[in-house]
PDB file of all heavy atoms in Angstrom:
ATOM      1  N   GLY A   1     115.591  89.284  89.841  1.00 98.00           N
ATOM      2  CA  GLY A   1     116.309  88.114  89.396  1.00 98.00           C
ATOM      3  C   GLY A   1     116.418  88.050  87.896  1.00 98.00           C
ATOM      4  O   GLY A   1     116.131  89.015  87.188  1.00 98.00           O
ATOM      5  N   LEU A   2     116.829  86.886  87.412  1.00 98.00           N
ATOM      6  CA  LEU A   2     116.988  86.628  85.985  1.00 98.00           C
ATOM      7  C   LEU A   2     115.792  85.852  85.466  1.00 98.00           C
ATOM      8  O   LEU A   2     115.397  84.840  86.058  1.00 98.00           O
ATOM      9  CB  LEU A   2     118.275  85.835  85.739  1.00 98.00           C
ATOM     10  CG  LEU A   2     118.548  85.372  84.311  1.00 98.00           C
ATOM     11  CD1 LEU A   2     118.750  86.568  83.391  1.00 98.00           C
ATOM     12  CD2 LEU A   2     119.762  84.460  84.290  1.00 98.00           C
ATOM     13  N   VAL A   3     115.231  86.315  84.366  1.00 98.00           N
ATOM     14  CA  VAL A   3     114.084  85.648  83.769  1.00 98.00           C
ATOM     15  C   VAL A   3     114.214  85.690  82.252  1.00 98.00           C
ATOM     16  O   VAL A   3     114.791  86.623  81.698  1.00 98.00           O
ATOM     17  CB  VAL A   3     112.761  86.305  84.230  1.00 98.00           C
ATOM     18  CG1 VAL A   3     112.672  87.744  83.751  1.00 98.00           C
ATOM     19  CG2 VAL A   3     111.557  85.496  83.778  1.00 98.00           C
ATOM     20  N   GLN A   4     113.698  84.670  81.578  1.00 98.00           N
ATOM     21  CA  GLN A   4     113.741  84.618  80.126  1.00 98.00           C
ATOM     22  C   GLN A   4     112.666  85.508  79.509  1.00 98.00           C
ATOM     23  O   GLN A   4     111.638  85.770  80.131  1.00 98.00           O
ATOM     24  CB  GLN A   4     113.559  83.186  79.634  1.00 98.00           C
ATOM     25  CG  GLN A   4     114.680  82.253  80.028  1.00 98.00           C
ATOM     26  CD  GLN A   4     114.587  80.907  79.355  1.00 98.00           C
ATOM     27  OE1 GLN A   4     115.602  80.322  78.981  1.00 98.00           O
ATOM     28  NE2 GLN A   4     113.382  80.409  79.179  1.00 98.00           N
ATOM     29  N   PRO A   5     112.900  86.000  78.292  1.00 98.00           N
ATOM     30  CA  PRO A   5     111.856  86.776  77.620  1.00 98.00           C
ATOM     31  C   PRO A   5     110.537  86.020  77.591  1.00 98.00           C
ATOM     32  O   PRO A   5     110.505  84.814  77.337  1.00 98.00           O
ATOM     33  CB  PRO A   5     112.419  86.970  76.215  1.00 98.00           C
ATOM     34  CG  PRO A   5     113.895  86.922  76.407  1.00 98.00           C
ATOM     35  CD  PRO A   5     114.115  85.892  77.483  1.00 98.00           C
ATOM     36  N   GLY A   6     109.461  86.743  77.855  1.00 98.00           N
ATOM     37  CA  GLY A   6     108.149  86.137  77.931  1.00 98.00           C
ATOM     38  C   GLY A   6     107.782  85.632  79.307  1.00 98.00           C
ATOM     39  O   GLY A   6     106.618  85.267  79.543  1.00 98.00           O
ATOM     40  N   GLY A   7     108.736  85.613  80.199  1.00 98.00           N
ATOM     41  CA  GLY A   7     108.501  85.132  81.546  1.00 98.00           C
ATOM     42  C   GLY A   7     107.867  86.176  82.445  1.00 98.00           C
ATOM     43  O   GLY A   7     107.567  87.292  82.022  1.00 98.00           O
ATOM     44  N   SER A   8     107.684  85.793  83.699  1.00 98.00           N
ATOM     45  CA  SER A   8     107.046  86.654  84.683  1.00 98.00           C
ATOM     46  C   SER A   8     107.876  86.741  85.950  1.00 98.00           C
ATOM     47  O   SER A   8     108.654  85.837  86.272  1.00 98.00           O
ATOM     48  CB  SER A   8     105.653  86.129  85.040  1.00 98.00           C
ATOM     49  OG  SER A   8     104.793  86.117  83.918  1.00 98.00           O
ATOM     50  N   LEU A   9     107.682  87.830  86.657  1.00 98.00           N
ATOM     51  CA  LEU A   9     108.390  88.059  87.905  1.00 98.00           C
ATOM     52  C   LEU A   9     107.547  89.000  88.753  1.00 98.00           C
ATOM     53  O   LEU A   9     106.884  89.890  88.217  1.00 98.00           O
ATOM     54  CB  LEU A   9     109.754  88.686  87.623  1.00 98.00           C
ATOM     55  CG  LEU A   9     110.896  88.526  88.627  1.00 98.00           C
ATOM     56  CD1 LEU A   9     111.228  87.054  88.839  1.00 98.00           C
ATOM     57  CD2 LEU A   9     112.118  89.276  88.129  1.00 98.00           C
ATOM     58  N   THR A  10     107.575  88.807  90.062  1.00 98.00           N
ATOM     59  CA  THR A  10     106.854  89.689  90.967  1.00 98.00           C
ATOM     60  C   THR A  10     107.819  90.323  91.955  1.00 98.00           C
ATOM     61  O   THR A  10     108.569  89.625  92.645  1.00 98.00           O
ATOM     62  CB  THR A  10     105.769  88.931  91.746  1.00 98.00           C
ATOM     63  OG1 THR A  10     104.817  88.381  90.827  1.00 98.00           O
ATOM     64  CG2 THR A  10     105.036  89.874  92.699  1.00 98.00           C
ATOM     65  N   LEU A  11     107.804  91.638  92.018  1.00 98.00           N
ATOM     66  CA  LEU A  11     108.598  92.384  92.968  1.00 98.00           C
ATOM     67  C   LEU A  11     107.728  92.774  94.156  1.00 98.00           C
ATOM     68  O   LEU A  11     106.525  92.989  94.016  1.00 98.00           O
ATOM     69  CB  LEU A  11     109.165  93.653  92.339  1.00 98.00           C
ATOM     70  CG  LEU A  11     109.943  93.498  91.032  1.00 98.00           C
ATOM     71  CD1 LEU A  11     110.454  94.860  90.580  1.00 98.00           C
ATOM     72  CD2 LEU A  11     111.077  92.503  91.192  1.00 98.00           C
ATOM     73  N   SER A  12     108.341  92.871  95.319  1.00 98.00           N
ATOM     74  CA  SER A  12     107.626  93.348  96.491  1.00 98.00           C
ATOM     75  C   SER A  12     108.459  94.391  97.219  1.00 98.00           C
ATOM     76  O   SER A  12     109.685  94.408  97.125  1.00 98.00           O
ATOM     77  CB  SER A  12     107.267  92.203  97.437  1.00 98.00           C
ATOM     78  OG  SER A  12     108.431  91.603  97.972  1.00 98.00           O
ATOM     79  N   CYS A  13     107.778  95.249  97.937  1.00 97.00           N
ATOM     80  CA  CYS A  13     108.430  96.311  98.696  1.00 97.00           C
ATOM     81  C   CYS A  13     107.638  96.521  99.972  1.00 97.00           C
ATOM     82  O   CYS A  13     106.437  96.813  99.920  1.00 97.00           O
ATOM     83  CB  CYS A  13     108.473  97.594  97.865  1.00 97.00           C
ATOM     84  SG  CYS A  13     109.030  99.061  98.759  1.00 97.00           S
ATOM     85  N   THR A  14     108.307  96.378 101.110  1.00 96.00           N
ATOM     86  CA  THR A  14     107.637  96.482 102.399  1.00 96.00           C
ATOM     87  C   THR A  14     108.171  97.670 103.192  1.00 96.00           C
ATOM     88  O   THR A  14     109.383  97.823 103.352  1.00 96.00           O
ATOM     89  CB  THR A  14     107.831  95.199 103.217  1.00 96.00           C
ATOM     90  OG1 THR A  14     107.270  94.088 102.499  1.00 96.00           O
ATOM     91  CG2 THR A  14     107.127  95.308 104.564  1.00 96.00           C
ATOM     92  N   ALA A  15     107.266  98.489 103.681  1.00 95.00           N
ATOM     93  CA  ALA A  15     107.619  99.642 104.499  1.00 95.00           C
ATOM     94  C   ALA A  15     107.774  99.235 105.962  1.00 95.00           C
ATOM     95  O   ALA A  15     107.108  98.312 106.444  1.00 95.00           O
ATOM     96  CB  ALA A  15     106.562 100.728 104.376  1.00 95.00           C
ATOM     97  N   SER A  16     108.649  99.933 106.671  1.00 95.00           N
ATOM     98  CA  SER A  16     108.973  99.589 108.051  1.00 95.00           C
ATOM     99  C   SER A  16     107.916 100.006 109.064  1.00 95.00           C
ATOM    100  O   SER A  16     108.001  99.641 110.231  1.00 95.00           O
ATOM    101  CB  SER A  16     110.314 100.219 108.444  1.00 95.00           C
ATOM    102  OG  SER A  16     110.252 101.627 108.370  1.00 95.00           O
ATOM    103  N   ARG A  17     106.942 100.748 108.628  1.00 90.00           N
ATOM    104  CA  ARG A  17     105.888 101.189 109.515  1.00 90.00           C
ATOM    105  C   ARG A  17     104.587 101.316 108.740  1.00 90.00           C
ATOM    106  O   ARG A  17     104.588 101.355 107.511  1.00 90.00           O
ATOM    107  CB  ARG A  17     106.236 102.524 110.173  1.00 90.00           C
ATOM    108  CG  ARG A  17     106.622 103.628 109.195  1.00 90.00           C
ATOM    109  CD  ARG A  17     106.385 104.997 109.764  1.00 90.00           C
ATOM    110  NE  ARG A  17     104.968 105.301 109.838  1.00 90.00           N
ATOM    111  CZ  ARG A  17     104.439 106.362 110.442  1.00 90.00           C
ATOM    112  NH1 ARG A  17     105.233 107.228 111.055  1.00 90.00           N
ATOM    113  NH2 ARG A  17     103.134 106.559 110.435  1.00 90.00           N
ATOM    114  N   ASN A  18     103.488 101.402 109.476  1.00 86.00           N
ATOM    115  CA  ASN A  18     102.199 101.595 108.843  1.00 86.00           C
ATOM    116  C   ASN A  18     102.145 102.960 108.172  1.00 86.00           C
ATOM    117  O   ASN A  18     102.686 103.942 108.675  1.00 86.00           O
ATOM    118  CB  ASN A  18     101.068 101.483 109.857  1.00 86.00           C
ATOM    119  CG  ASN A  18     100.898 100.088 110.392  1.00 86.00           C
ATOM    120  OD1 ASN A  18     101.337  99.115 109.792  1.00 86.00           O
ATOM    121  ND2 ASN A  18     100.232  99.983 111.533  1.00 86.00           N
ATOM    122  N   ILE A  19     101.474 103.009 107.041  1.00 85.00           N
ATOM    123  CA  ILE A  19     101.346 104.235 106.272  1.00 85.00           C
ATOM    124  C   ILE A  19      99.917 104.741 106.425  1.00 85.00           C
ATOM    125  O   ILE A  19      98.975 104.124 105.907  1.00 85.00           O
ATOM    126  CB  ILE A  19     101.687 104.007 104.792  1.00 85.00           C
ATOM    127  CG1 ILE A  19     103.061 103.349 104.660  1.00 85.00           C
ATOM    128  CG2 ILE A  19     101.605 105.316 104.027  1.00 85.00           C
ATOM    129  CD1 ILE A  19     104.190 104.147 105.250  1.00 85.00           C
ATOM    130  N   PHE A  20      99.768 105.857 107.123  1.00 76.00           N
ATOM    131  CA  PHE A  20      98.441 106.403 107.388  1.00 76.00           C
ATOM    132  C   PHE A  20      98.131 107.656 106.592  1.00 76.00           C
ATOM    133  O   PHE A  20      96.965 107.949 106.338  1.00 76.00           O
ATOM    134  CB  PHE A  20      98.285 106.715 108.885  1.00 76.00           C
ATOM    135  CG  PHE A  20      98.440 105.534 109.776  1.00 76.00           C
ATOM    136  CD1 PHE A  20      99.521 105.423 110.632  1.00 76.00           C
ATOM    137  CD2 PHE A  20      97.496 104.518 109.761  1.00 76.00           C
ATOM    138  CE1 PHE A  20      99.666 104.329 111.465  1.00 76.00           C
ATOM    139  CE2 PHE A  20      97.622 103.413 110.588  1.00 76.00           C
ATOM    140  CZ  PHE A  20      98.711 103.319 111.443  1.00 76.00           C
ATOM    141  N   ARG A  21      99.151 108.395 106.223  1.00 85.00           N
ATOM    142  CA  ARG A  21      98.949 109.653 105.529  1.00 85.00           C
ATOM    143  C   ARG A  21      98.655 109.442 104.048  1.00 85.00           C
ATOM    144  O   ARG A  21      98.851 108.357 103.510  1.00 85.00           O
ATOM    145  CB  ARG A  21     100.180 110.548 105.691  1.00 85.00           C
ATOM    146  CG  ARG A  21     100.456 110.976 107.119  1.00 85.00           C
ATOM    147  CD  ARG A  21     101.719 111.806 107.208  1.00 85.00           C
ATOM    148  NE  ARG A  21     101.976 112.261 108.566  1.00 85.00           N
ATOM    149  CZ  ARG A  21     101.540 113.390 109.077  1.00 85.00           C
ATOM    150  NH1 ARG A  21     100.805 114.222 108.332  1.00 85.00           N
ATOM    151  NH2 ARG A  21     101.823 113.712 110.324  1.00 85.00           N
ATOM    152  N   ILE A  22      98.171 110.507 103.428  1.00 88.00           N
ATOM    153  CA  ILE A  22      97.941 110.485 101.991  1.00 88.00           C
ATOM    154  C   ILE A  22      99.258 110.162 101.298  1.00 88.00           C
ATOM    155  O   ILE A  22     100.287 110.774 101.598  1.00 88.00           O
ATOM    156  CB  ILE A  22      97.396 111.836 101.509  1.00 88.00           C
ATOM    157  CG1 ILE A  22      96.026 112.103 102.133  1.00 88.00           C
ATOM    158  CG2 ILE A  22      97.310 111.873  99.991  1.00 88.00           C
ATOM    159  CD1 ILE A  22      95.506 113.505 101.874  1.00 88.00           C
ATOM    160  N   ASN A  23      99.221 109.208 100.398  1.00 93.00           N
ATOM    161  CA  ASN A  23     100.471 108.758  99.806  1.00 93.00           C
ATOM    162  C   ASN A  23     100.254 108.060  98.484  1.00 93.00           C
ATOM    163  O   ASN A  23      99.152 107.616  98.163  1.00 93.00           O
ATOM    164  CB  ASN A  23     101.212 107.810 100.761  1.00 93.00           C
ATOM    165  CG  ASN A  23     100.492 106.495 100.933  1.00 93.00           C
ATOM    166  OD1 ASN A  23     100.721 105.549 100.174  1.00 93.00           O
ATOM    167  ND2 ASN A  23      99.608 106.423 101.921  1.00 93.00           N
ATOM    168  N   THR A  24     101.348 107.963  97.748  1.00 95.00           N
ATOM    169  CA  THR A  24     101.413 107.168  96.538  1.00 95.00           C
ATOM    170  C   THR A  24     102.643 106.269  96.627  1.00 95.00           C
ATOM    171  O   THR A  24     103.721 106.737  97.002  1.00 95.00           O
ATOM    172  CB  THR A  24     101.515 108.055  95.290  1.00 95.00           C
ATOM    173  OG1 THR A  24     100.355 108.888  95.205  1.00 95.00           O
ATOM    174  CG2 THR A  24     101.608 107.214  94.028  1.00 95.00           C
ATOM    175  N   MET A  25     102.483 105.004  96.316  1.00 95.00           N
ATOM    176  CA  MET A  25     103.615 104.103  96.228  1.00 95.00           C
ATOM    177  C   MET A  25     103.886 103.818  94.759  1.00 95.00           C
ATOM    178  O   MET A  25     102.953 103.585  93.983  1.00 95.00           O
ATOM    179  CB  MET A  25     103.375 102.815  97.008  1.00 95.00           C
ATOM    180  CG  MET A  25     103.212 103.067  98.500  1.00 95.00           C
ATOM    181  SD  MET A  25     103.372 101.584  99.529  1.00 95.00           S
ATOM    182  CE  MET A  25     105.165 101.388  99.537  1.00 95.00           C
ATOM    183  N   ASN A  26     105.147 103.873  94.412  1.00 97.00           N
ATOM    184  CA  ASN A  26     105.543 103.834  93.012  1.00 97.00           C
ATOM    185  C   ASN A  26     106.660 102.824  92.774  1.00 97.00           C
ATOM    186  O   ASN A  26     107.445 102.513  93.672  1.00 97.00           O
ATOM    187  CB  ASN A  26     106.065 105.206  92.570  1.00 97.00           C
ATOM    188  CG  ASN A  26     105.127 106.331  92.943  1.00 97.00           C
ATOM    189  OD1 ASN A  26     104.076 106.491  92.320  1.00 97.00           O
ATOM    190  ND2 ASN A  26     105.497 107.116  93.943  1.00 97.00           N
ATOM    191  N   TRP A  27     106.706 102.343  91.548  1.00 98.00           N
ATOM    192  CA  TRP A  27     107.856 101.593  91.072  1.00 98.00           C
ATOM    193  C   TRP A  27     108.521 102.390  89.958  1.00 98.00           C
ATOM    194  O   TRP A  27     107.865 102.769  88.991  1.00 98.00           O
ATOM    195  CB  TRP A  27     107.472 100.211  90.557  1.00 98.00           C
ATOM    196  CG  TRP A  27     107.124  99.248  91.635  1.00 98.00           C
ATOM    197  CD1 TRP A  27     105.882  98.900  92.055  1.00 98.00           C
ATOM    198  CD2 TRP A  27     108.045  98.489  92.432  1.00 98.00           C
ATOM    199  NE1 TRP A  27     105.959  97.975  93.061  1.00 98.00           N
ATOM    200  CE2 TRP A  27     107.274  97.706  93.317  1.00 98.00           C
ATOM    201  CE3 TRP A  27     109.437  98.394  92.482  1.00 98.00           C
ATOM    202  CZ2 TRP A  27     107.857  96.845  94.246  1.00 98.00           C
ATOM    203  CZ3 TRP A  27     110.010  97.541  93.404  1.00 98.00           C
ATOM    204  CH2 TRP A  27     109.226  96.777  94.270  1.00 98.00           C
ATOM    205  N   TYR A  28     109.808 102.640  90.136  1.00 98.00           N
ATOM    206  CA  TYR A  28     110.644 103.246  89.115  1.00 98.00           C
ATOM    207  C   TYR A  28     111.640 102.204  88.626  1.00 98.00           C
ATOM    208  O   TYR A  28     111.894 101.204  89.291  1.00 98.00           O
ATOM    209  CB  TYR A  28     111.419 104.433  89.671  1.00 98.00           C
ATOM    210  CG  TYR A  28     110.604 105.678  89.953  1.00 98.00           C
ATOM    211  CD1 TYR A  28     109.849 105.797  91.111  1.00 98.00           C
ATOM    212  CD2 TYR A  28     110.628 106.757  89.072  1.00 98.00           C
ATOM    213  CE1 TYR A  28     109.121 106.947  91.380  1.00 98.00           C
ATOM    214  CE2 TYR A  28     109.908 107.911  89.336  1.00 98.00           C
ATOM    215  CZ  TYR A  28     109.161 108.000  90.491  1.00 98.00           C
ATOM    216  OH  TYR A  28     108.452 109.155  90.751  1.00 98.00           O
ATOM    217  N   ARG A  29     112.222 102.459  87.481  1.00 98.00           N
ATOM    218  CA  ARG A  29     113.313 101.618  87.012  1.00 98.00           C
ATOM    219  C   ARG A  29     114.362 102.464  86.311  1.00 98.00           C
ATOM    220  O   ARG A  29     114.064 103.529  85.778  1.00 98.00           O
ATOM    221  CB  ARG A  29     112.814 100.503  86.080  1.00 98.00           C
ATOM    222  CG  ARG A  29     112.296 100.977  84.735  1.00 98.00           C
ATOM    223  CD  ARG A  29     111.725  99.797  83.952  1.00 98.00           C
ATOM    224  NE  ARG A  29     111.237 100.200  82.640  1.00 98.00           N
ATOM    225  CZ  ARG A  29     110.564  99.401  81.820  1.00 98.00           C
ATOM    226  NH1 ARG A  29     110.294  98.140  82.182  1.00 98.00           N
ATOM    227  NH2 ARG A  29     110.156  99.845  80.640  1.00 98.00           N
ATOM    228  N   GLN A  30     115.587 101.964  86.332  1.00 98.00           N
ATOM    229  CA  GLN A  30     116.682 102.650  85.680  1.00 98.00           C
ATOM    230  C   GLN A  30     117.596 101.632  85.020  1.00 98.00           C
ATOM    231  O   GLN A  30     118.167 100.775  85.692  1.00 98.00           O
ATOM    232  CB  GLN A  30     117.471 103.505  86.671  1.00 98.00           C
ATOM    233  CG  GLN A  30     118.515 104.380  86.018  1.00 98.00           C
ATOM    234  CD  GLN A  30     119.057 105.431  86.959  1.00 98.00           C
ATOM    235  OE1 GLN A  30     119.035 105.267  88.173  1.00 98.00           O
ATOM    236  NE2 GLN A  30     119.538 106.522  86.392  1.00 98.00           N
ATOM    237  N   ALA A  31     117.707 101.737  83.716  1.00 97.00           N
ATOM    238  CA  ALA A  31     118.614 100.897  82.952  1.00 97.00           C
ATOM    239  C   ALA A  31     119.947 101.616  82.811  1.00 97.00           C
ATOM    240  O   ALA A  31     120.007 102.850  82.888  1.00 97.00           O
ATOM    241  CB  ALA A  31     118.026 100.590  81.582  1.00 97.00           C
ATOM    242  N   PRO A  32     121.037 100.875  82.596  1.00 92.00           N
ATOM    243  CA  PRO A  32     122.356 101.510  82.446  1.00 92.00           C
ATOM    244  C   PRO A  32     122.355 102.575  81.356  1.00 92.00           C
ATOM    245  O   PRO A  32     121.876 102.336  80.249  1.00 92.00           O
ATOM    246  CB  PRO A  32     123.265 100.341  82.071  1.00 92.00           C
ATOM    247  CG  PRO A  32     122.607  99.147  82.686  1.00 92.00           C
ATOM    248  CD  PRO A  32     121.129  99.408  82.529  1.00 92.00           C
ATOM    249  N   GLY A  33     122.865 103.755  81.690  1.00 94.00           N
ATOM    250  CA  GLY A  33     122.959 104.834  80.734  1.00 94.00           C
ATOM    251  C   GLY A  33     121.664 105.571  80.456  1.00 94.00           C
ATOM    252  O   GLY A  33     121.639 106.456  79.600  1.00 94.00           O
ATOM    253  N   LYS A  34     120.608 105.213  81.161  1.00 96.00           N
ATOM    254  CA  LYS A  34     119.314 105.847  80.943  1.00 96.00           C
ATOM    255  C   LYS A  34     118.812 106.515  82.213  1.00 96.00           C
ATOM    256  O   LYS A  34     119.247 106.195  83.312  1.00 96.00           O
ATOM    257  CB  LYS A  34     118.291 104.824  80.446  1.00 96.00           C
ATOM    258  CG  LYS A  34     118.630 104.204  79.106  1.00 96.00           C
ATOM    259  CD  LYS A  34     117.540 103.263  78.640  1.00 96.00           C
ATOM    260  CE  LYS A  34     117.870 102.674  77.276  1.00 96.00           C
ATOM    261  NZ  LYS A  34     116.803 101.751  76.807  1.00 96.00           N
ATOM    262  N   GLU A  35     117.889 107.441  82.042  1.00 97.00           N
ATOM    263  CA  GLU A  35     117.281 108.114  83.175  1.00 97.00           C
ATOM    264  C   GLU A  35     116.291 107.199  83.874  1.00 97.00           C
ATOM    265  O   GLU A  35     115.696 106.310  83.265  1.00 97.00           O
ATOM    266  CB  GLU A  35     116.571 109.385  82.720  1.00 97.00           C
ATOM    267  CG  GLU A  35     117.503 110.484  82.220  1.00 97.00           C
ATOM    268  CD  GLU A  35     118.384 111.024  83.309  1.00 97.00           C
ATOM    269  OE1 GLU A  35     117.882 111.261  84.428  1.00 97.00           O
ATOM    270  OE2 GLU A  35     119.587 111.222  83.053  1.00 97.00           O
ATOM    271  N   ARG A  36     116.129 107.435  85.159  1.00 97.00           N
ATOM    272  CA  ARG A  36     115.130 106.698  85.912  1.00 97.00           C
ATOM    273  C   ARG A  36     113.736 107.075  85.422  1.00 97.00           C
ATOM    274  O   ARG A  36     113.440 108.252  85.216  1.00 97.00           O
ATOM    275  CB  ARG A  36     115.284 107.005  87.405  1.00 97.00           C
ATOM    276  CG  ARG A  36     114.289 106.291  88.302  1.00 97.00           C
ATOM    277  CD  ARG A  36     114.742 106.299  89.740  1.00 97.00           C
ATOM    278  NE  ARG A  36     115.165 107.620  90.180  1.00 97.00           N
ATOM    279  CZ  ARG A  36     115.775 107.871  91.333  1.00 97.00           C
ATOM    280  NH1 ARG A  36     116.034 106.878  92.167  1.00 97.00           N
ATOM    281  NH2 ARG A  36     116.129 109.099  91.649  1.00 97.00           N
ATOM    282  N   GLU A  37     112.891 106.093  85.235  1.00 97.00           N
ATOM    283  CA  GLU A  37     111.548 106.342  84.750  1.00 97.00           C
ATOM    284  C   GLU A  37     110.508 105.730  85.679  1.00 97.00           C
ATOM    285  O   GLU A  37     110.739 104.683  86.296  1.00 97.00           O
ATOM    286  CB  GLU A  37     111.365 105.785  83.332  1.00 97.00           C
ATOM    287  CG  GLU A  37     111.478 104.276  83.221  1.00 97.00           C
ATOM    288  CD  GLU A  37     111.118 103.738  81.847  1.00 97.00           C
ATOM    289  OE1 GLU A  37     110.357 104.409  81.113  1.00 97.00           O
ATOM    290  OE2 GLU A  37     111.597 102.648  81.499  1.00 97.00           O
ATOM    291  N   LEU A  38     109.376 106.384  85.753  1.00 98.00           N
ATOM    292  CA  LEU A  38     108.259 105.878  86.540  1.00 98.00           C
ATOM    293  C   LEU A  38     107.562 104.779  85.758  1.00 98.00           C
ATOM    294  O   LEU A  38     107.142 104.986  84.620  1.00 98.00           O
ATOM    295  CB  LEU A  38     107.283 107.003  86.867  1.00 98.00           C
ATOM    296  CG  LEU A  38     106.023 106.624  87.649  1.00 98.00           C
ATOM    297  CD1 LEU A  38     106.389 106.053  89.020  1.00 98.00           C
ATOM    298  CD2 LEU A  38     105.110 107.829  87.795  1.00 98.00           C
ATOM    299  N   VAL A  39     107.423 103.621  86.385  1.00 98.00           N
ATOM    300  CA  VAL A  39     106.816 102.467  85.742  1.00 98.00           C
ATOM    301  C   VAL A  39     105.343 102.337  86.106  1.00 98.00           C
ATOM    302  O   VAL A  39     104.494 102.118  85.243  1.00 98.00           O
ATOM    303  CB  VAL A  39     107.560 101.172  86.125  1.00 98.00           C
ATOM    304  CG1 VAL A  39     106.866  99.947  85.554  1.00 98.00           C
ATOM    305  CG2 VAL A  39     109.006 101.244  85.655  1.00 98.00           C
ATOM    306  N   ALA A  40     105.048 102.451  87.394  1.00 98.00           N
ATOM    307  CA  ALA A  40     103.682 102.262  87.865  1.00 98.00           C
ATOM    308  C   ALA A  40     103.504 102.933  89.213  1.00 98.00           C
ATOM    309  O   ALA A  40     104.462 103.097  89.967  1.00 98.00           O
ATOM    310  CB  ALA A  40     103.339 100.777  87.972  1.00 98.00           C
ATOM    311  N   SER A  41     102.284 103.310  89.527  1.00 97.00           N
ATOM    312  CA  SER A  41     101.989 103.932  90.807  1.00 97.00           C
ATOM    313  C   SER A  41     100.622 103.501  91.299  1.00 97.00           C
ATOM    314  O   SER A  41      99.740 103.147  90.513  1.00 97.00           O
ATOM    315  CB  SER A  41     102.054 105.456  90.704  1.00 97.00           C
ATOM    316  OG  SER A  41     101.076 105.954  89.809  1.00 97.00           O
ATOM    317  N   VAL A  42     100.459 103.541  92.607  1.00 96.00           N
ATOM    318  CA  VAL A  42      99.174 103.251  93.225  1.00 96.00           C
ATOM    319  C   VAL A  42      98.996 104.171  94.425  1.00 96.00           C
ATOM    320  O   VAL A  42      99.902 104.323  95.245  1.00 96.00           O
ATOM    321  CB  VAL A  42      99.047 101.762  93.625  1.00 96.00           C
ATOM    322  CG1 VAL A  42     100.144 101.340  94.594  1.00 96.00           C
ATOM    323  CG2 VAL A  42      97.675 101.476  94.217  1.00 96.00           C
ATOM    324  N   THR A  43      97.839 104.806  94.528  1.00 95.00           N
ATOM    325  CA  THR A  43      97.560 105.712  95.627  1.00 95.00           C
ATOM    326  C   THR A  43      97.001 104.958  96.823  1.00 95.00           C
ATOM    327  O   THR A  43      96.663 103.775  96.742  1.00 95.00           O
ATOM    328  CB  THR A  43      96.555 106.791  95.216  1.00 95.00           C
ATOM    329  OG1 THR A  43      95.261 106.197  95.045  1.00 95.00           O
ATOM    330  CG2 THR A  43      96.976 107.471  93.921  1.00 95.00           C
ATOM    331  N   ASN A  44      96.883 105.673  97.952  1.00 91.00           N
ATOM    332  CA  ASN A  44      96.293 105.064  99.138  1.00 91.00           C
ATOM    333  C   ASN A  44      94.834 104.692  98.900  1.00 91.00           C
ATOM    334  O   ASN A  44      94.297 103.822  99.589  1.00 91.00           O
ATOM    335  CB  ASN A  44      96.409 105.998 100.347  1.00 91.00           C
ATOM    336  CG  ASN A  44      95.819 107.365 100.088  1.00 91.00           C
ATOM    337  OD1 ASN A  44      96.449 108.225  99.485  1.00 91.00           O
ATOM    338  ND2 ASN A  44      94.582 107.577 100.547  1.00 91.00           N
ATOM    339  N   ALA A  45      94.209 105.358  97.934  1.00 91.00           N
ATOM    340  CA  ALA A  45      92.828 105.062  97.585  1.00 91.00           C
ATOM    341  C   ALA A  45      92.699 103.937  96.569  1.00 91.00           C
ATOM    342  O   ALA A  45      91.585 103.522  96.254  1.00 91.00           O
ATOM    343  CB  ALA A  45      92.137 106.312  97.057  1.00 91.00           C
TER     344      ALA A  45
END
């Protein structure tokens, strides 16, 4: 959504099934004219 500078926002992402295997869930972002970049990651551990 739209937020003012200094504000906060929470994104969520839900998978359609349970995740049992070794995995990493990540957030990437891509601004116009720029390459996609990795923002944050979290492992199953």
Side-chain angles (χ1 to χ4, degrees):
L2 175 64
V3 64
Q4 295 189 142
S8 298
L9 204 60
T10 299
L11 307 181
S12 65
C13 171
T14 300
S16 62
R17 53 156 288 171
N18 292 340
I19 307 300
F20 300 112
R21 296 178 178 270
I22 296 171
N23 68 89
T24 299
M25 297 196 78
N26 310 286
W27 287 99
Y28 288 80
R29 69 185 181 188
Q30 187 167 25
K34 297 183 178 180
E35 292 294 316
R36 180 163 48 190
E37 64 173 336
L38 178 62
V39 175
S41 63
V42 59
T43 70
N44 55 279

